[in-house]
Amino acid sequence: MTELLANFAAGRWQTGNGPGTVLSDPVLGDALVRVDCTGLDLPEAFAFARDRGGAALRAMSYRERAALLAAVVKVLQAHRGSYYDIATANSGTVKNDSAVDIDGGIFTLGQYARWGDALGDVRVLRDGDAVKLGKEPVFLSQHLQVPTRGVALFINAFNFPAWGLWEKAAPALLSGVPVIVKPATATAWLTQRMVKDVIDAGVLPAGALSVIAGSSAGLMDQLQPFDVVSFTGSAETAGVIRSHPAVAHRSVRANIEADSLNSALLLPDATVGSDAFNLLVREVVREMTVKSGQKCTAIRRILVPAAVYDAAAEAIGAKLAGISVGNPRNESVRMGSLVSTAQLHAVREGLAALGAHTDMLHDGRARPLVDADPAVAACMGPVLLGARDADAASAVHDMEVFGPVATLLPYRDLDHALALSHRGQGSLVTSLFGADEAALADAAVQLAASHGRVHVVTPDVAQTHTGHGNVMPMSQHGGPGRAGGGAELGGLRALDFYHQRSAVQASPGVLASLGL
Ligand code: NAP
């Protein structure tokens, strides 16, 4: 029988009293550990976090809480090797892909520790200047931001068990808001281990951080008016969260990151073999293969001028053909597995549905796997599809296949390309490739309305740009419409979600005493 991982709730380690769900190695098929939270006293867990954790965090200044984040960074760095081992075993990722999750999470925490330190020894944040409410400056309005007096519940997706926790926990803890994380079951082990290391190190106040792994049943029912919930996952579950009474009737703030049909766009003046063309090809291949395409920001639709469609198909296909797929423990493997066989089946089903609207341009599925048994491993080579009639291929604009799959689409002119990009109905990110700075800037502004981030790649930033799919803490992560309407990160903007803005109307003397 595999180990049953404990939950950390109400300030103590507690195992569920059910049989648990087994987490597996998606490459070897081995059972690894089990998670379960049956029988946990959820009201007690939430009250402990809200009351004990919240009070302890709010008693500190932003600088003191920033120091907590810095201490968490040290703990995680000390155990980094074990996180890579868990990622290899439970997520089937090669080292570079595990780094995106593990080191990406640690980097984000470190960044918020620095930003938080710069906020200083204050407990309240000033929001703009005081403005007079009458003719004379004798009675004024001063907006301020105070930490919300609730708990932050994170319901996370399977693809980022490390980063998905810390990119949210960093701004929450810095804001003075305790965190309860419910990781996706398939990859809950890494989240649980990181929380365990931080708790065991004793660097956070009691109640500041809890982990509940297993079923999500009953979690949303615990939420009270000043709590917040961050959800990352499918559009379907997002609908369940949005319509839950906590959100619908108790005004619990919800940040939703759902699925997204991100695009890459090669501008009309780019010719075959130009720098912009080559940069697009390189980025598309990277996005299709990093974490086997299981990134919410991955490029799903590639928009190119009709004149370069065939050459783009050939160039992307040629590079994809060089990607070795299989057991991530083998040093020669570039792309590991999908997260589970269930996910592999979901991708196969999605591909079959897209197949009705597209042509096969490159099929990496036929290639032999390295060091992995195709009957067991959830590995799959990359697939490039194409649709010569981009308008008619409606499924390509509607259906996210969460794996190493993308579709090449030709466009007539820039207006057509922008219209196709907007057909994603709101996405996390789009990237633009070209050399004409004015045309790129204009396209960026036009696409900003339907994208949380616009990533522009010109030849001069070929070596320095941060990557289409890389979520940097300095930039906003989240998109409108079907991407969920959420907004995370973006520097200190992330703190807004965990604060209440209030306008204090008072005399200059009272406002001066606020200590802002
Ligand atoms: P999912 O089924 O919606 O699961 C996401 C999370 O919700 C998991 O923790 C899951 O727990 C939990 N959950 C499931 N049913 C629930 C319910 N009724 N009430 C409350 N929580 C519930 O999503 P998935 O298919 O695993 O994740 C893949 C999707 O996530 C993709 O579509 C991808 O686009 C999206 N994603 C988006 C982003 C982003 O930032 N926008 C990032 C990563 C992934 P269990 O695991 O225990 O079922």
Side-chain angles (χ1 to χ4, degrees):
M1 196 73 146
T2 52
E3 181 195 352
L4 180 61
L5 300 181
N7 305 285
F8 190 71
R12 60 185 191 279
W13 290 101
Q14 314 180 41
T15 44
N17 58 23
T21 305
V22 174
L23 276 55
S24 308
D25 183 321
V27 178
L28 306 177
D30 300 337
L32 299 169
V33 291
R34 286 173 299 136
V35 293
D36 182 53
C37 58
T38 316
L40 243 64
D41 185 339
L42 294 180
E44 182 200 22
F46 277 69
F48 185 88
R50 195 181 289 118
D51 299 339
R52 283 282 296 278
L57 288 168
R58 287 196 305 275
M60 297 176 167
S61 69
Y62 288 87
R63 177 165 285 156
E64 287 169 324
R65 293 194 294 263
L68 297 182
L69 300 187
V72 172
V73 166
K74 280 199 181 136
V75 174
L76 298 178
Q77 270 166 345
H79 296 86
R80 209 168 141 260
S82 61
Y83 305 147
Y84 274 78
D85 293 343
I86 292 175
T88 305
N90 193 194
S91 291
T93 40
V94 295
K95 268 202 189 99
N96 282 346
D97 292 356
S98 303
V100 177
D101 187 30
I102 296 165
D103 293 327
I106 297 174
F107 172 74
T108 302
L109 266 169
Q111 192 62 55
Y112 276 93
R114 282 189 288 280
W115 285 328
D117 188 64
L119 289 175
D121 283 314
V122 294
R123 286 176 180 73
V124 178
L125 293 178
R126 171 198 193 91
D127 185 344
D129 293 331
V131 289
K132 56 186 185 181
L133 293 171
K135 272 192 183 153
E136 301 302 323
V138 292
F139 192 63
L140 310 167
S141 171
Q142 170 68 60
H143 285 83
L144 43 86
Q145 298 248 34
V146 294
T148 187
R149 299 175 79 91
V151 69
L153 170 65
F154 301 159
I155 301 178
N156 282 354
F158 63 73
N159 55 343
F160 280 104
W163 177 83
L165 164 59
W166 299 117
E167 60 105 12
K168 295 178 178 70
L173 294 173
L174 180 58
S175 299
V177 177
V179 166
I180 297 177
V181 59
K182 184 263 180 272
T185 297
T187 56
W189 191 12
L190 181 51
T191 309
Q192 192 268 1
R193 174 63 69 84
M194 287 179 136
V195 172
K196 181 166 172 23
D197 289 338
V198 171
I199 298 299
D200 289 353
V203 294
L204 290 179
L209 182 61
S210 310
V211 60
I212 298 178
S215 166
S216 56
L219 291 177
M220 289 292 297
D221 300 334
Q222 307 310 319
L223 296 179
Q224 296 182 3
F226 305 138
D227 296 336
V228 299
V229 58
S230 282
F231 169 78
T232 305
S234 63
E236 200 183 335
T237 315
V240 174
I241 304 288
R242 273 203 190 88
S243 54
H244 189 279
V247 177
H249 303 306
R250 297 200 286 278
S251 303
V252 165
R253 271 189 215 167
N255 189 79
I256 308 269
E257 305 283 352
D259 63 16
S260 176
L261 286 150
N262 315 296
S263 53
L265 166 56
L266 182 65
L267 260 70
D269 61 336
T271 50
V272 174
S274 63
D275 286 345
F277 178 93
N278 293 336
L279 286 165
L280 170 110
V281 169
R282 187 173 84 179
E283 199 62 14
V284 164
V285 170
R286 181 155 63 183
E287 283 298 311
M288 288 178 70
T289 54
V290 169
K291 286 178 76 69
S292 298
Q294 298 169 112
K295 266 175 38 241
C296 49
T297 50
I299 296 169
R300 307 290 176 201
R301 301 175 299 147
I302 310 149
L303 307 172
V304 297
V308 308
Y309 177 82
D310 290 323
E314 200 177 311
I316 296 168
K319 276 204 186 307
L320 290 176
I323 304 284
S324 48
V325 183
N327 190 333
R329 295 161 185 87
N330 185 311
E331 293 282 321
S332 72
V333 166
R334 281 272 305 280
M335 191 168 95
S337 72
L338 293 164
V339 78
S340 62
T341 42
Q343 194 56 26
L344 178 64
H345 292 311
V347 171
R348 283 180 181 153
E349 274 175 27
L351 263 175
L354 289 186
H357 297 250
T358 56
D359 306 317
M360 179 63 71
L361 299 180
H362 173 85
D363 191 351
R365 290 173 299 177
R367 303 231 335 267
L369 302 179
V370 179
D371 254 4
D373 177 355
V376 177
C379 294
M380 185 189 126
V383 173
L384 180 68
L385 304 170
R388 285 192 188 273
D389 186 347
D391 295 308
S394 52
V396 172
H397 306 287
D398 282 342
M399 185 192 295
E400 182 197 44
V401 179
F402 209 61
V405 178
T407 306
L408 188 67
L409 301 164
Y411 67 79
R412 291 184 299 277
D413 52 31
L414 187 58
D415 283 346
H416 186 212
L418 298 177
L420 289 170
S421 180
H422 286 302
R423 276 188 67 181
Q425 298 161 64
S427 304
L428 294 171
V429 53
T430 182
S431 52
L432 310 180
F433 296 81
D436 180 339
E437 291 172 347
L440 286 161
D442 188 52
V445 172
Q446 299 218 45
L447 290 174
S450 56
H451 294 83
R453 182 161 61 86
V454 180
H455 183 79
V456 183
V457 182
T458 43
D460 56 323
V461 298
Q463 302 306 322
T464 49
H465 80 90
T466 46
H468 163 107
N470 256 356
V471 177
M472 302 297 288
M474 300 81 180
S475 293
Q476 171 177 269
H477 174 60
R482 68 172 292 162
E488 295 175 344
L489 301 173
L492 290 174
R493 289 175 189 83
L495 272 56
D496 286 356
F497 185 62
Y498 303 100
H499 281 75
Q500 175 60 42
R501 180 185 294 124
S502 184
V504 178
Q505 303 183 160
S507 69
V510 171
L511 294 188
S513 301
L514 289 173
L516 297 173

